Structure formats: structure tokens, C-alpha cells
């Protein structure tokens, strides 16, 4: 039932070593060991003690933290014998929160071993879901102590400076995703200026870091649409900044980043609560050019994600003049493009949407011949020369997906 540490059976007996203790005592044991780790780290940096003794002391403290974290998890899950009473569980939660243990654990997470880091993530997840009197006790506490949430975001940035601790980025990122399930905590993250660094992280070449960053952004911006509309996209500066960041990811990110960011954007602009974001985005000619560029990508999946944004632009009954002019100038090229686009897709919803968009494009005014003089000549590939993009390769309609 319990893990083994250093060939030693971990059983519930260690909870009652050194005389019976209250839950507050057990929480204090963890904080004491964290303080020892901090002290040994300071001694090592100043050179006031031998490196071997410092290393031994730190390793011992790390092992103790690992042992007590495992015990804490089993205790709050009621997986100990005798099983703790509800009153004892309540007392344990009160002790954990009163000691600010989550802030301390995250502050020292780089000093913990891999298994202990995972235990911290799991314990936080369990505690977030703990309720009493119809209130999420840990959630309410973190709302009152928002510095812990800010520390999570800051820790992710600091982690990237140490290439050997990328697992911390993933673990802390999962903590943030768990917190985003609760509206009050998501609101705190959205108001923190550090949240914009996630877009920078999403643009990095490391696949795990980029993907985790996009998952965090997705959970933060899509889990509570009304909150996001009220607290985030209600500010014009946030809309402009978001569009700038997401466009950068779609234009210059890796294939996965382009696909995930375009999917995020598509999911946001179709939400009624995000009407201001939608109108701002779809009425920009520069945004239209970017989306049309993505529609010529060699990846069929990315083409489809771009189409989900493009269809909103075309369906807009009140297009801005610059957007309208681009669509009119590219009317015939777009019709040629849609003759082959998505031919192998059998989804009925997609086919209906494609048919609707084609009708909308067909209803656009046709330019007279003399008006089209000087425009790029349409190449044999219908996906080339949309908005003059003659240097963009045509999408593959068959073959292996990239």
C-alpha cells in the first residue's frame, strides 16, 4: 500500500514516532525539513561547511520530506489505519493552510526529488477538491493568499533557466491547470501580468514546454468563458495583446504550435461572450492575410484549423472595407481553392460549412477584367496566389500528413 524509501518499509508507524502528535505537528515536520534544505543550500553557496556534509544533510532532509509527503497524501485520503475521523481531517487541512505549506513546497520544489514533486502536485489536486460547508476550503485560502499562484507562474519562468529541471515546468504547469478548474483561481491567473510569458514559452522549440504552455493557456481561456469575457477580453489592451501574441504563434511557431494556437483562436471567436474579440479579429485585413496563408499550408489539419477562422471572417455580414476588398480581389482564386479543399473530409458539419462559405464567396462582386489588370496571375494550383501568395507551396490533398 505504501512506497518504500531507501529499502525501508513506509508504514503508518512513522506518524507516531517520537510520541503521539497532532496534525499541526506533522505539517511542522515538513516545513522544518524544507527549512533545513534551505539552510544547507545557503551553507553550500557560502562555503562555510564541507561540501560532503552539506550534501549529506540536504539529502537526508529531502528523504524526510519525501517520506512525510507520502504520509500526508495517504492521511488526507483516509488510507491509514486507524482511519482518521472527519474532525481529524479538518484539523489537518487547517494546519496545512495555516502554515502556508503549498507556498513553501513550491518555493522549494527545485530542491525536491522527482517523486516528491509529483506528490506535491497530487496533494494540491486533492486539497483543491476538499469542501466543507459547501465551500472549497483550499480554493478560498489560495484566493486570500494569491502570492502562491503568482509563485507558480514565476517558478515556470525560473525553471527554463535550468535545462535539467524541465520536469518542474510540466509539474507546476499541471498544478496551474488544476487551479484553472476553479473560477476564482483562474481569475487571479488572468490578472497576473506574468500570464503573457506563457505565449513566449509556447513559441519555444522544446516540444514539451511549448505543448504544456498551450495546454495551460487553453485551460485558462476556455474553461470559464463568461469570466474570461468579463475580466480579460473586456479590456481593449488585452485583446490587442492577445491577437499580437496568437498571430505570432500561428505565423512563426512549429507545426504543433501553429495548429494548437489556431485551434485556440477558433474556439474563442465563436463564443458569444467574446463578441468584441471576434469583431476585432475578423475585421483586420492583416489577420485575414495570415489566415489565408495558413490555408495554403501543406498540412491538411492546419488548413482545417485555419478554415475554422476563415469561415467566421467570410460569414461576417458587416465586413470591414479592407477585408471585403481582399475577398473580392481573390474571389475566383478562392473558388478554385475550395474545389479541392477538404475533398477527403466526410464530416457532414464541415461539408455544410464549406458549402455555405462557397456560396458566400460566389455572391461576392466579380471584378471587371480591366480592374484585375496588374494582379497576380492565378497559377495552375488553386491554392497559390491567394492574396498574391505565389511563394507559398500548395497544400497536399493526399499522402502522409505532416
Amino acid at each position: 500500500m505504501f512506497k518504500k524509501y531507501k529499502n525501508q518499509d513506509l508504514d503508518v508507524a512513522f506518524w507516531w514516532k517520537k510520541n503521539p502528535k497532532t496534525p499541526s505537528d506533522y505539517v511542522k515536520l515538513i516545513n522544518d525539513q524544507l527549512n533545513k534544505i534551505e539552510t544547507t543550500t545557503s551553507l553550500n553557496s557560502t562555503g562555510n561547511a564541507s561540501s560532503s556534509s552539506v550534501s549529506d544533510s540536504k539529502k537526508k532532509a529531502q528523504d524526510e520530506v519525501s517520506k512525510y509527503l507520502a504520509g500526508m497524501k495517504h492521511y488526507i485520503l483516509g488510507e491509514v489505519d486507524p482511519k482518521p475521523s472527519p474532525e481529524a481531517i479538518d484539523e489537518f487541512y487547517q494546519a496545512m493552510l495555516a502554515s502556508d505549506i503549498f507556498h513553501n513546497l513550491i518555493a522549494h520544489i527545485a530542491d525536491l526529488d522527482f517523486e516528491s514533486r509529483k506528490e506535491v502536485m497530487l496533494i494540491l489536486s486533492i486539497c483543491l477538491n476538499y469542501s466543507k460547508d459547501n465551500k472549497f476550503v483550499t480554493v478560498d485560502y489560495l484566493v486570500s493568499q494569491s502570492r502562491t499562484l503568482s509563485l507558480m507562474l514565476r517558478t515556470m519562468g525560473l525553471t527554463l533557466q535550468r535545462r535539467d529541471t524541465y520536469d518542474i515546468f510540466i509539474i507546476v504547469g499541471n498544478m496551474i491547470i488544476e487551479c484553472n478548474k476553479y473560477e476564482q483561481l483562474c481569475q487571479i491567473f488572468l490578472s497576473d501580468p506574468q500570464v503573457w510569458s506563457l505565449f513566449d514559452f509556447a513559441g519555444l522549440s522544446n516540444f514539451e514546454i511549448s505543448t504544456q504552455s498551450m495546454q495551460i493557456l487553453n485551460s485558462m481561456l476556455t474553461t470559464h468563458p463568461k469570466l474570461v469575457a468579463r475580466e480579460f477580453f473586456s479590456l481593449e489592451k488585452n485583446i490587442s495583446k492577445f491577437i499580437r501574441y496568437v498571430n505570432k504563434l500561428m505565423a512563426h511557431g512549429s507545426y504543433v504550435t501553429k495548429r494548437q494556437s489556431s485551434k485556440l483562436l477558433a474556439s474563442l471567436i465563436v463564443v458569444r461572450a467574446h463578441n468584441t474579440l471576434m469583431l476585432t479579429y475578423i475585421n483586420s485585413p492583416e489577420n485575414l492575410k495570415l489566415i489565408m496563408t495558413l490555408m495554403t499550408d501543406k498540412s491538411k489539419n492546419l488548413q482545417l484549423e485555419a478554415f475554422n477562422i476563415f469561415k467566421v471572417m467570410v460569414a461576417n455580414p458587416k465586413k470591414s472595407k479592407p477585408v471585403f476588398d481582399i475577398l473580392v480581389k481573390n474571389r475566383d482564386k478562392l473558388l478554385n481553392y475550395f474545389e479541392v479543399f477538404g475533398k477527403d473530409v466526410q464530416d457532414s458539419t464541415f461539408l455544410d460549412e464549406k458549402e455555405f462559405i462557397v456560396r458566400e464567396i460566389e455572391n461576392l462582386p466579380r471584378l471587371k477584367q480591366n480592374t484585375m489588370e496588374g494582379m497576380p496571375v492565378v497559377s495552375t494550383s488553386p491554392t497559390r496566389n491567394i492574396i498574391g501568395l505565389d511563394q507559398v507551396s500548395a497544400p497536399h490533398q493526399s499522402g502522409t500528413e505532416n
Side-chain angles (χ1 to χ4, degrees), residues 30-68:
I30 293 180
N31 282 323
D32 286 346
Q33 297 306 318
L34 292 175
N35 290 335
K36 286 183 180 179
I37 292 175
E38 185 172 342
T39 300
T40 54
T41 302
S42 299
L43 288 173
N44 191 44
S45 62
T46 58
N48 292 332
S50 66
S51 58
S52 60
S53 62
V54 168
S55 179
D56 290 343
S57 297
K58 184 174 182 178
K59 188 66 174 65
K60 183 178 179 180
Q62 288 173 329
D63 290 342
E64 290 294 300
V65 171
S66 298
K67 181 174 67 173
Y68 285 114

Side-chain angles (χ1 to χ4, degrees), residues 51-292:
S51 58
S52 60
S53 62
V54 168
S55 179
D56 290 343
S57 297
K58 184 174 182 178
K59 188 66 174 65
K60 183 178 179 180
Q62 288 173 329
D63 290 342
E64 290 294 300
V65 171
S66 298
K67 181 174 67 173
Y68 285 114
L69 282 174
M72 175 186 290
K73 178 187 69 176
H74 290 299
Y75 191 83
I76 60 179
L77 288 174
E79 297 176 346
V80 295
D81 187 19
K83 188 172 183 178
S85 66
E87 292 75 19
I89 294 291
D90 288 342
E91 185 181 351
F92 198 73
Y93 273 100
Q94 292 171 9
M96 284 193 293
L97 300 181
S99 70
D100 213 6
I101 195 167
F102 287 116
H103 187 276
N104 292 342
L105 286 168
I106 295 169
H108 294 90
I109 199 162
D111 296 316
L112 305 181
D113 59 39
F114 179 69
E115 291 299 325
S116 295
R117 294 166 187 169
K118 291 197 299 183
E119 294 283 28
V120 173
M121 178 182 67
L122 180 57
I123 291 170
L124 175 64
S125 178
I126 296 169
C127 291
L128 286 172
N129 198 43
Y130 171 71
S131 63
K132 183 180 180 183
D133 299 329
N134 295 322
K135 293 182 178 179
F136 289 109
V137 177
T138 307
V139 172
D140 289 345
Y141 175 79
L142 290 175
V143 169
S144 68
Q145 297 290 330
S146 60
R147 70 190 187 116
T148 302
L149 304 183
S150 180
L151 178 61
M152 290 182 189
L153 291 172
R154 186 162 66 253
T155 299
M156 297 186 77
L158 294 174
T159 294
L160 296 183
Q161 299 175 14
R162 296 178 55 182
R163 295 182 179 274
D164 60 332
T165 56
Y166 280 177
D167 67 282
I168 297 177
F169 189 97
I170 305 300
I171 288 173
V172 176
N174 286 331
M175 292 184 193
I176 294 175
I177 290 173
E178 284 297 312
C179 289
N180 282 334
K181 295 177 180 178
Y182 304 87
E183 187 170 334
Q184 307 98 303
L185 303 184
C186 185
Q187 180 177 353
I188 294 173
F189 283 128
L190 288 172
S191 63
D192 194 317
Q194 294 179 99
V195 74
W196 297 105
S197 63
L198 291 169
F199 288 92
D200 294 326
F201 301 156
L204 297 177
S205 58
N206 182 284
F207 176 79
E208 290 184 334
I209 298 299
S210 175
T211 301
Q212 178 75 322
S213 301
M214 287 303 308
Q215 289 176 347
I216 297 170
L217 286 169
N218 188 72
S219 70
M220 202 173 288
L221 295 172
T222 64
T223 306
H224 309 285
K226 292 183 179 178
L227 166 71
V228 174
R230 183 179 70 249
E231 301 292 337
F232 192 73
F233 287 134
S234 60
L235 301 176
E236 184 177 345
K237 64 177 182 179
N238 282 352
I239 292 178
S240 300
K241 202 169 184 178
F242 170 79
I243 291 175
R244 186 167 69 252
Y245 273 109
V246 79
N247 278 356
K248 182 179 179 181
L249 293 176
M250 291 192 295
H252 304 296
S254 65
Y255 161 70
V256 174
T257 302
K258 287 181 178 180
R259 187 177 175 190
Q260 290 179 332
S261 55
S262 58
K263 187 173 184 177
L264 173 62
L265 175 61
S267 68
L268 290 173
I269 63 175
V270 296
V271 175
R272 186 181 297 274
H274 302 327
N275 189 60
T276 303
L277 169 66
M278 184 266 290
L279 291 176
T280 302
Y281 195 88
I282 68 175
N283 280 310
S284 164
E286 295 305 316
N287 295 342
L288 175 59
K289 292 176 183 179
L290 171 60
I291 298 307
M292 292 170 76

Side-chain angles (χ1 to χ4, degrees), residues 344-359:
D344 54 349
V345 179
Q346 302 300 319
D347 180 73
S348 59
T349 300
F350 166 77
L351 295 175
D352 290 342
E353 290 175 344
K354 176 184 170 181
E355 181 181 353
F356 173 79
I357 294 304
V358 169
R359 286 200 306 269

